[in-house]
Amino acid sequence: MQFSLWVALVGAGALISFTPGAGAINTMSNALNAGFRRSIWGILGQQAALLIHIVIVALGVGLLVASSPLAFNVIRYAGAAYLVYLGVRQFLAKPELDSEQTRALSDEPRSSMFRRGLWVNMLNPKAIVFFLAFLPQFIRVDRPLPAQYLIVAATVVVIDILVMWFFFAVAARSFQRFTRDARGQLVVNRVFGVLFVAVGVLLAVIH
């Protein structure tokens, strides 16, 4: 891949990662509940889904999803429903001021955080359609394809990890002062609950 094309890829990848979405909300929620360091497990789950999307597009399966309204809608509504479920669960969550309850919340298994991050990004067929339009801009058919896809995947994943961890997870710290009392926790839970539901609804209604 030419260096100038790679620089353009970095710019596009950064712009995409900084655009708020379900992944950013999930990252901030994890950072608040489990802490900055442990939020990385949710981020890694999101990256696993991103890699799967890239592989799907590279194999051409993405064309099938994009051209099949039924397949697209089934995945779209499943993804929307999952985000709404996460939002409702967080919106209704009760404040956890007891030290043992708080410790249990902050000690959520890494595998659980990873799976949630995976499904948050995986159940988003728009990501497949997006990569169908995005990837060809940085792929040259006259050069070896595997190496190019590897460069694109590595670049996009590294950028997204950096943005999610060092921007959105860090940004969540500004909300931590609200989590020291029951009222503050209630407000934070409802804010993030509404955000999850809003993203889920947008995923379902925007074509």
Side-chain angles (χ1 to χ4, degrees):
M1 180 178 291
Q2 294 179 341
F3 181 72
S4 59
L5 189 60
W6 181 79
V7 171
L9 173 63
V10 170
L15 181 61
I16 295 165
S17 293
F18 275 111
T19 302
I25 297 171
N26 186 59
T27 297
M28 295 179 72
S29 178
N30 284 337
L32 272 174
N33 293 327
F36 170 76
R37 291 184 179 179
R38 300 189 76 248
S39 67
I40 187 63
W41 295 102
I43 296 172
L44 292 177
Q46 293 169 196
Q47 304 316 307
L50 186 151
L51 289 174
I52 292 173
H53 282 145
I54 292 178
V55 170
I56 288 174
V57 171
L59 294 176
V61 180
L63 284 173
L64 176 62
V65 175
S67 61
S68 171
L70 178 60
F72 182 85
N73 285 327
V74 167
I75 301 176
R76 179 162 65 95
Y77 288 122
Y82 183 66
L83 291 176
V84 170
Y85 161 74
L86 290 178
V88 172
R89 188 178 68 172
Q90 181 140 6
F91 187 90
L92 298 177
K94 297 180 180 180
E96 303 286 356
L97 294 179
D98 181 78
S99 59
E100 292 186 3
Q101 291 178 322
T102 302
R103 192 179 306 113
L105 188 63
S106 63
D107 289 341
E108 179 185 3
R110 298 170 180 175
S111 58
S112 174
M113 298 173 67
F114 183 92
R115 285 196 302 272
R116 187 167 62 252
L118 173 70
W119 288 116
V120 162
N121 268 7
M122 192 64 198
L123 291 173
N124 184 3
K126 291 186 188 303
I128 298 178
V129 177
F130 171 79
F131 277 118
L132 276 173
F134 178 79
L135 290 183
Q137 312 303 320
F138 303 97
I139 300 296
R140 294 185 57 176
V141 295
D142 59 332
R143 296 189 178 185
L145 294 179
Q148 293 183 76
Y149 278 114
L150 182 61
I151 292 172
V152 170
T155 301
V156 172
V157 165
V158 169
I159 290 174
D160 202 52
I161 289 176
L162 293 176
V163 171
M164 289 295 141
W165 209 19
F166 293 104
F167 181 77
F168 288 110
V170 169
R173 290 182 176 180
S174 61
F175 291 91
Q176 284 183 337
R177 62 190 178 91
F178 294 106
T179 64
R180 296 170 185 168
D181 57 66
R183 180 177 175 79
Q185 285 189 19
L186 193 63
V187 170
V188 169
N189 285 339
R190 290 185 174 177
V191 167
F192 280 94
V194 168
L195 289 174
F196 268 119
V197 172
V199 172
V201 172
L202 286 175
L203 180 64
V205 302
I206 295 178
H207 297 274

